[in-house]
């Protein structure tokens, strides 16, 4: 039996372990961090700049005549508010599990439970993000029918990149996220095969996509993220991919703040999205619960900074 606790306890050892897991698993959430990079803020509530006006990206005449005045920037971005909402996951260890693990194995048992928490957190975070983005970005009409042999996917994607770069005023920090279904439709398209049959001995890779196919140095990431809507178990029939058939083209800076016009951001109050790892016993004293707490909010910073293509 676990001793009765009047309040939950902060477990510093498991907190450090969880933060380490998040750092090690950074590649796992690379897709999410590229699409909506995290911005650590001092408090759960505050202001950020929205960039939904073309004037936010305009250039200026900077030459000043002697004795003359300077061109004054009228900052047209408006203030909006973020409000990070509390998030939590928890898992229990039965007293019998600890008995079976023994004194030598109980530490590894607790770490395995925290690992399950972090893995669940990562997948849930990415699923929630893509759900938010899909609800806030409408696919460009009239394009994306890459199964049609008369359609050139490269020409259509290049056109969207061109329009995006016109809106944001640069090609720097323009990225492409391509779902595995969309990627397969691209590389199996007749027009794309014609483009590559004399230059490609092996199938096209994501590293080659920007420069070789589009002629544009954009960072490209192919992703396949699977969620199981059945909850417990591995029932194949309930598994589905997130953002099936979607391509997102967007502007996103590597180290965002509340002021830059990245398309999306994730505001959070702590690095690695972890406020702490708490532990407390159940009322019957038969389980110790380990809880992971964090806070976050997704925001769409700029409608001008993102394009979506839904591939059919």
């Amino acid at each position: 039996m676990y001793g009765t606790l009047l309040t939950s306890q902060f477990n510093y050892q498991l907190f450090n372990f969880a933060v380490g897991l998040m750092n090690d698993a950074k590649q796992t959430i690379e897709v999410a961090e590229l699409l909506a990079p995290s911005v650590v803020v001092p408090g759960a509530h505050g202001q950020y700049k929205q960039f939904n006006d073309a004037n936010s990206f305009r250039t200026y005449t900077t030459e000043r005549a002697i004795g003359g005045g300077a061109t004054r920037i009228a900052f047209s971005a408006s203030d909006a508010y973020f409000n990070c909402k509390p998030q939590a996951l928890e898992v229990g260890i039965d007293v019998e599990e600890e008995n079976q693990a023994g004194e030598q194995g109980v530490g590894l048992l607790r770490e395995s439970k925290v690992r399950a928490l972090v893995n669940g957190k990562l997948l849930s975070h990415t699923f929630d993000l893509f759900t938010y983005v899909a609800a806030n970005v409408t696919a460009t009409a009239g394009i994306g029918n890459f199964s049609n042999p008369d359609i050139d996917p490269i020409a259509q994607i290049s056109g969207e990149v061109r329009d995006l770069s016109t809106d944001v005023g640069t090609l720097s920090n323009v990225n492409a996220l391509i779902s595995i279904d969309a990627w397969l439709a691209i590389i199996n398209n007749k027009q794309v095969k014609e483009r590559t049959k004399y230059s490609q001995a092996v199938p096209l890779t994501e590293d080659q996509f920007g420069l070789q196919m589009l002629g544009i140095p954009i960072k490209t990431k192919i992703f396949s993220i699977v969620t199981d809507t059945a909850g417990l178990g591995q029932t194949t029939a309930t598994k589905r991919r997130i953002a099936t058939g979607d391509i997102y083209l967007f502007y996103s800076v590597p180290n965002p703040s509340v002021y830059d016009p990245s398309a999306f951001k994730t505001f959070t109050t702590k690095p690695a999205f972890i406020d702490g790892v708490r532990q407390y016993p159940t009322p019957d004293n038969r389980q110790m619960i380990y809880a992971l707490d964090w806070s976050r909010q997704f925001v769409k910073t700029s409608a001008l900074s993102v394009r979506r293509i839904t591939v059919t």
Side-chain angles (χ1 to χ4, degrees):
M1 289 289 188
Y2 299 107
T4 301
L5 297 176
L6 296 179
T7 59
S8 63
Q9 292 182 330
F10 189 94
N11 191 313
Y12 288 95
Q13 181 178 353
L14 290 180
F15 169 71
N16 291 331
F17 178 71
V19 171
L21 280 180
M22 284 294 293
N23 292 332
D24 291 343
K26 201 69 173 178
Q27 189 173 3
T28 305
I29 58 169
E30 183 181 1
V31 169
E33 279 294 291
L34 187 63
L35 181 57
S38 55
V39 180
V40 179
V41 289
H45 184 73
Q47 288 182 297
Y48 68 97
K49 293 291 182 184
Q50 282 189 319
F51 295 82
N52 289 326
D53 188 292
N55 289 333
S56 302
F57 301 95
R58 68 177 301 182
T59 58
Y60 300 91
T61 300
T62 59
E63 184 175 342
R64 184 180 71 86
I66 295 176
T71 301
R72 180 170 297 174
I73 295 176
F75 195 63
S76 58
S78 59
D79 287 324
Y81 289 88
F82 63 82
N83 188 24
C84 299
K85 299 295 179 65
Q87 314 286 320
L89 279 177
E90 60 183 28
V91 66
I93 297 181
D94 193 278
V95 63
E96 186 57 29
E97 287 184 275
E98 291 204 349
N99 290 338
Q100 292 176 1
E103 185 175 343
Q104 300 299 318
V106 69
L108 291 176
L109 173 63
R110 292 168 182 166
E111 289 185 355
S112 71
K113 295 288 186 172
V114 172
R115 186 181 298 275
L117 280 178
V118 171
N119 288 340
K121 173 184 181 297
L122 291 175
L123 181 58
S124 300
H125 174 83
T126 306
F127 175 79
D128 291 345
L129 172 59
F130 273 95
T131 300
Y132 174 84
V133 170
N136 284 276
V137 181
T138 302
T140 302
I143 63 173
N145 185 13
F146 296 169
S147 60
N148 185 338
D150 296 324
I151 295 295
D152 185 351
I154 304 304
Q156 291 191 351
I157 295 171
S158 297
E160 289 296 282
V161 172
R162 177 200 59 213
D163 293 345
L164 174 62
S165 67
T166 299
D167 280 343
V168 302
T170 181
L171 273 173
S172 298
N173 297 315
V174 172
N175 306 281
L177 280 180
I178 305 176
S179 68
I180 184 63
D181 308 89
W183 179 253
L184 292 174
I186 291 171
I187 64 174
N188 288 312
N189 175 271
K190 179 182 178 181
Q191 303 275 347
V192 174
K193 287 182 176 180
E194 285 295 316
R195 284 175 177 265
T196 59
K197 68 179 181 179
Y198 297 115
S199 61
Q200 288 287 117
V202 295
L204 188 68
T205 68
E206 63 181 17
D207 292 333
Q208 299 167 326
F209 183 72
L211 276 176
Q212 185 165 326
M213 296 305 295
L214 301 180
I216 303 169
I218 64 172
K219 182 175 182 179
T220 303
K221 187 71 180 176
I222 303 163
F223 67 94
S224 177
I225 303 168
V226 178
T227 181
D228 185 356
T229 56
L232 293 176
Q234 295 293 317
T235 308
T236 303
T238 62
K239 286 185 178 180
R240 66 182 181 89
R241 288 193 181 92
I242 297 172
T244 301
D246 277 336
I247 299 173
Y248 287 101
L249 306 166
F250 55 95
Y251 177 86
S252 177
V253 300
N255 298 298
S257 69
V258 296
Y259 300 108
D260 67 86
S262 296
F264 294 94
K265 296 174 187 175
T266 305
F267 290 112
T268 183
T269 54
K270 297 288 184 182
F273 298 107
I274 296 178
D275 289 350
V277 178
R278 297 180 297 109
Q279 64 182 65
Y280 63 93
T282 55
D284 62 7
N285 261 348
R286 289 192 171 88
Q287 286 193 74
M288 181 65 76
I289 304 301
Y290 294 89
L292 194 64
D293 293 289
W294 71 99
S295 63
R296 63 135 202 257
Q297 185 187 7
F298 305 127
V299 299
K300 182 181 179 181
T301 309
S302 174
L304 297 171
S305 301
V306 60
R307 298 290 189 279
R308 176 184 177 187
I309 301 173
T310 296
V311 176
T312 57

